[in-house]
Amino acid sequence: MSRTSVLITGGAGFIGSNLCRYWVTTHPEHRVTCFDKLTYAGNLSNIADLIDAGALDFIRGDVADAQTLHKAFERIQPDLVIHLAAETHVDRSLVDPQVFVKTNVLGTATLLEASWDLRRRTGRPNLILHMSTDEVFGSTPKDQSFDETAPYRPASPYSAAKAGADMLVGAYHTTWSLPVAVVHPSNNFGPYQFPEKLIPLMVHNIISENPLPIYGNGRQQRDWIYVEDLCRALDRLSRKAEPGQHYNVATGRLQENIDLVRGLCDLTDARLGRNQGSSRALITHIEDRPGHDLRYALDVAKMTDLGWSPKWTFEAAIEATVDWYLSHREWVENVTSGAYRDYYDHMYGRRLSEAATEPTQ
Ligand code: NAD
Ligand code: TYD
């Protein structure tokens, strides 16, 4: 019998590299291939050890490039596809929405077509897990949580492009019975997250004693899930998901950005032996993100019914994450050099120079 073949798109990015590592460790009997364009967010060094050890195959390519993707499908003959490749940063989508439409919508359309083309000839893949986000549902009203039947109300070009991809997924399932299920994770954190997202950005700035930019009053709420718990959820879904269904993956615990950042300041100060409270002085409220969703809250009863729940407490996971960034400063320096620096200056340069600093508490 041939080995189960697993294709992970976007496997050199944050969730993808954690998932590749999780998958080759948990399922050494599978043949795993990462397909990634290696944009600014994709870093081959995240998975180089797996590739060098022969545990992971790698193909460089753009999911929106039909020829390359069809060739890859032909070669890999995947039984399972986990589609993560996407442009993912909301703030970038406000600056350059087109690339989000190209990768997230056209890229997903191309992936669905390649899957359908292979499936009708060979019966493979058996399952495609398409990664959506909680953001497609828009901001959740106070005291409510959204289950998987909530209407789509995307607010940013990022979430609108993710929503467009989800609609195509639904169409391929309804029209051709393509076995594809949609996953809606909440905000992930953990090792290898590009330091433009809240947690690694803040840890990096705390270490280097730079301002900590908080959008608006910082009272926006997010549900933070440790990336390993998402990997476990995807593993379970690879066995239990029903094609055509949607699955929320979150912890059920919300935190305000400002509280999260204050906690990060205190934790990192303690680790660095700095005076408690010293990094809080770096907190700087800046102009809010346009269209900023106030609150994301998901109902995860469907995943609980499948026997999944998060293993990590937030406290243990954030300590593990801060420790990872403290012991991987070279990784952070590498990914924040060059092109990323230009982007950072473009995003924050003016706003930080206009901003007010929060008093130490
Ligand atoms: P990321 O930005 O860290 O990584 C994205 C990866 O996709 C990178 O390796 C990049 O090189 C690759 N990629 C981008 N465009 C590509 C293209 N055209 N062709 C091939 N590869 C391409 O993103 P992430 O945080 O790891 O997110 C992975 C998936 O999970 C995305 O679909 C995202 O929308 C979804 N998601 C993420 C979160 C989160 O908190 N990180 C939450 C919910 C959903
Ligand atoms: P982010 O990590 O960009 O994820 P998302 O916007 O997809 O939820 O941001 C998480 C929250 O943190 C969001 O409410 C925006 C806020 N935020 C800041 O206040 N300052 C920052 O510099 C960043 C990057 C995010």
Side-chain angles (χ1 to χ4, degrees):
M1 223 176 77
S2 64
R3 290 163 80 196
T4 298
S5 171
V6 181
L7 168 61
I8 299 176
T9 71
F14 159 51
I15 295 176
S17 58
N18 280 284
L19 185 66
C20 287
R21 198 165 291 284
Y22 170 92
W23 215 277
V24 301
T25 312
T26 314
H27 300 290
E29 73 284 9
H30 290 177
R31 189 161 58 84
V32 186
T33 308
C34 163
F35 182 96
D36 200 296
K37 183 180 176 183
L38 300 181
T39 67
Y40 77 95
N43 190 340
L44 205 53
S45 75
N46 295 354
I47 48 173
D49 58 324
L50 307 178
I51 299 169
D52 291 347
L56 179 70
D57 291 335
F58 178 77
I59 297 174
R60 184 170 191 180
D62 183 338
V63 281
D65 170 357
Q67 216 186 353
T68 311
L69 195 66
H70 279 260
K71 253 201 209 153
F73 266 72
E74 207 56 56
R75 194 170 115 195
I76 301 164
Q77 302 270 319
D79 300 285
L80 169 67
V81 177
I82 308 181
H83 177 41
L84 307 177
E87 288 291 337
T88 61
H89 191 39
V90 173
D91 295 320
R92 283 179 190 261
S93 82
L94 309 179
V95 180
D96 182 11
Q98 296 285 326
V99 66
F100 284 71
V101 176
K102 182 160 185 249
T103 291
N104 300 4
V105 183
L106 186 61
T108 301
T110 311
L111 180 121
L112 292 167
E113 195 52 35
S115 302
W116 174 227
D117 176 55
L118 183 71
R119 182 165 166 88
R120 67 184 157 207
R121 290 182 290 111
T122 67
R124 289 170 154 175
N126 303 318
L127 181 65
I128 302 149
L129 292 177
H130 165 71
M131 192 74 108
S132 178
T133 165
D134 55 359
E135 303 191 25
V136 294
F137 303 123
S139 197
T140 323
K142 197 166 168 273
D143 301 326
Q144 287 184 33
S145 60
F146 286 144
D147 70 13
E148 290 83 351
T149 65
Y152 274 33
R153 290 202 181 89
S156 69
Y158 161 64
S159 51
K162 295 295 287 183
D166 295 5
M167 294 296 152
L168 285 163
V169 165
Y172 271 74
H173 175 259
T174 307
T175 307
W176 292 295
S177 303
L178 190 71
V180 51
V182 180
V183 187
H184 299 276
S186 61
N187 286 66
N188 276 241
F189 68 101
Y192 301 107
Q193 186 166 31
F194 196 81
E196 65 185 352
K197 304 282 168 62
L198 183 70
I199 289 179
L201 176 82
M202 294 299 161
V203 176
H204 178 54
N205 285 11
I206 293 169
I207 294 171
S208 48
E209 298 180 273
N210 276 315
L212 309 177
I214 300 281
Y215 296 160
N217 63 11
R219 305 293 302 273
Q220 304 82 7
Q221 297 181 333
R222 297 290 185 266
D223 178 330
W224 293 97
I225 183 169
Y226 193 51
V227 63
E228 189 188 304
D229 280 323
L230 174 67
C231 293
R232 291 175 41 254
L234 292 171
D235 193 359
R236 186 152 294 246
L237 286 170
S238 73
R239 285 169 280 119
K240 303 263 186 188
E242 276 181 43
Q245 293 288 312
H246 289 231
Y247 298 92
N248 289 343
V249 181
T251 70
R253 172 179 166 182
L254 303 193
Q255 291 188 66
E256 291 189 349
N257 293 339
I258 186 69
D259 293 336
L260 174 71
V261 172
R262 286 180 183 141
L264 278 175
C265 288
D266 297 349
L267 175 57
T268 312
D269 281 347
R271 289 297 203 262
L272 291 173
R274 289 184 187 157
N275 289 338
Q276 274 300 310
S278 59
S279 293
R280 287 189 183 209
L282 298 169
I283 292 176
T284 307
H285 291 270
I286 64 171
E287 185 185 322
D288 208 349
R289 172 190 278 174
H292 198 168
D293 282 329
L294 272 181
R295 184 170 180 271
Y296 295 136
L298 293 180
D299 178 330
V300 292
K302 202 163 166 179
M303 282 304 294
T304 312
D305 288 348
L306 290 186
W308 173 89
S309 59
K311 258 194 190 160
W312 286 78
T313 61
F314 177 79
E315 287 71 20
I318 198 71
E319 284 189 20
T321 302
V322 168
D323 288 342
W324 190 87
Y325 283 98
L326 285 171
S327 59
H328 288 77
R329 295 193 208 185
E330 206 179 307
W331 181 88
V332 177
E333 292 310 325
N334 285 342
V335 300
T336 51
S337 63
Y340 176 62
R341 278 244 53 92
D342 299 341
Y343 161 78
Y344 190 88
D345 291 342
H346 175 75
M347 279 310 298
Y348 294 112
R350 178 186 61 81
R351 290 198 284 171
L352 274 175
S353 62
E354 289 169 354
T357 301
E358 179 171 275
T360 317
Q361 299 194 348

